[in-house]
Amino acid sequence: MMSGAFATNNAMKPLTFIHTSDLQLGMTRKFLPPEAQSRFDDARLRAVHRLGELATERGAEFIVVAGDVFEHNALEKRTLGRALEALGNLPVAVYLLPGNHDPLVADSVFNRTHDLDGVMVLGSSDVIEVREGVEIVGAPLKAKYASEDLCAKALAPLGPTDALRVLVGHGQTQSRTGEVARDTIDLDNLETKLADGTIDYVALGDTHSTRSLGDSGSVWYSGSPETTDFHDMSPGVAGGEVDSGNALVVQLSKGRAEVEKVPVGAWVFHALHFEVGGGVDVDKLLAQLRAYPDKERTVIKYAIVGTLGLEDTRRLEEGLAELEPVFASLRERTRLMDLHLEPGAEELANLPLSGFAANAMGELAAAATGGDATARDAVNLLFRLAKEA
């Protein structure tokens, strides 16, 4: 029997837990070659292990995963087995919320978690007492697309409480289309429920970048603990996954949440834009790519805009060809590429070509200058062969 004094003290004890989401275990990226995809799979499992280490380091009582634990409900047997093993080996209890990728439907992957000690599925909006004075309320998706604000539905029957109560939800607080959507989470409603003590923290998933919402400091997207998509680094652009690869350490007391963002991911996905006009720009471009420290865990897609002569084009293409197999993936953003070849008169005059070869080079160079990619490749090949000769 718990004494009254102990129960009161335990109820007043601050809470520390880990907030994460969008593990999407089993995710594939079509632009990764098989060996890189294998390393990407392992990194997502290692991120789960790192969450456990973080929980131990910070004295966290549990971990909440706010949706999209799995990439989908039809994972390959080996992938699912490894994922369940990683979750079952976590050193603290973990609460899993079904999201839009892994909704709680008849063939749900969550049906395989029942025998895992310490792994609980937030399959309803019933209040779960973690310990005296600590509660979790989930807003699970039971279909791929929700037809209402599931967070508002979960909170509707609840009132203010002296307990520390965490709401775990998955979805957007603003419609991506700009139109009013029935499943959009009402942020103002969440802030009202935080203010009156119905809840004390809202752990959200779906957005893969870490982000604080509203004015209370108690509504957060944790973002994915391992990067899944590109951060667009183009000048004047701040799009895509601008801050993924993190987990949140939440220290919660009644009416106050202290949230710390902790990096846990290992992969980098960058979308780059380069403007070139000569050899100096080519040197800078190649130097930037060579400076990435962990190329085997780095995915780059790039766009190059500008005009180069024969020698600079050759150096650029040779440099990119040298780097391409070193990165997990290094590829052109084809629709944004606008690189033109414009041989200088001196470059053409100095080539050891005559007769038909010289005429062919002149015609190809003119076509390449006009933007013909095939002609550009032919000019580069003929230029290289001439230089070797």
Side-chain angles (χ1 to χ4, degrees), residues 22 66-68 97-100 139 141 151 168-172 185 204-206:
D22 301 277
D68 289 355
L97 182 79
N100 61 295
L141 273 83
C151 287
V168 186
H170 188 87
Q172 293 296 307
I185 298 170
L204 291 178
D206 195 34

Side-chain angles (χ1 to χ4, degrees), residues 38-262:
S38 178
R39 285 185 280 109
F40 187 65
D41 293 340
D42 288 340
R44 307 197 77 73
L45 293 173
R46 284 199 302 273
V48 176
H49 180 68
R50 177 66 183 119
L51 292 171
E53 291 180 332
L54 184 61
T56 300
E57 291 167 6
R58 302 304 177 86
E61 296 186 39
F62 56 83
I63 298 168
V64 295
V65 185
D68 289 355
V69 183
F70 306 99
E71 175 68 356
H72 46 70
N73 277 322
L75 293 180
E76 185 265 335
K77 186 176 180 180
R78 170 181 166 84
T79 300
L80 178 57
R82 295 183 69 195
L84 295 177
E85 179 80 4
L87 292 168
N89 285 335
L90 287 169
V92 297
V94 57
Y95 294 86
L96 309 178
L97 182 79
N100 61 295
H101 275 259
D102 49 11
L104 196 60
V105 293
D107 62 346
S108 171
V109 69
F110 291 108
N111 294 330
R112 294 283 306 277
T113 65
H114 296 316
D115 297 329
L116 296 177
D117 290 339
V119 178
M120 279 70 72
V121 177
L122 300 174
S124 73
S125 294
D126 294 339
V127 176
I128 297 175
E129 184 177 65
V130 177
R131 64 163 167 85
E132 178 75 17
V134 175
E135 299 174 350
I136 295 178
V137 178
L141 273 83
K142 297 187 177 182
K144 188 169 180 62
Y145 302 103
S147 59
E148 59 184 315
D149 178 352
L150 296 177
C151 287
K153 180 181 179 181
L155 293 177
L158 303 179
T161 176
D162 291 331
L164 294 174
R165 184 182 285 160
V166 177
L167 172 68
V168 186
H170 188 87
Q172 293 296 307
T173 60
Q174 293 180 328
S175 173
R176 290 189 174 100
T177 64
E179 301 174 353
V180 177
R182 290 181 296 174
D183 63 338
T184 301
I185 298 170
D186 185 345
L187 179 58
D188 289 339
N189 180 56
L190 296 180
E191 295 276 57
T192 297
K193 297 297 184 180
L194 286 162
D196 71 13
T198 300
I199 50 176
D200 298 282
Y201 182 83
V202 182
L204 291 178
D206 195 34
T207 292
H208 288 196
S209 296
T210 304
R211 183 183 170 197
S212 176
L213 302 177
D215 299 321
S216 66
S218 298
V219 184
W220 283 79
Y221 283 111
S222 65
S224 172
E226 186 56 83
T227 301
T228 63
D229 212 339
F230 291 92
H231 177 187
D232 197 331
M233 310 288 284
S234 303
V237 176
E241 288 191 20
V242 298
D243 191 14
S244 56
N246 306 308
L248 300 180
V249 179
V250 183
Q251 292 183 300
L252 194 61
S253 53
K254 197 64 185 175
R256 179 178 176 82
E258 295 183 8
V259 182
E260 178 187 0
K261 179 179 70 176
V262 180

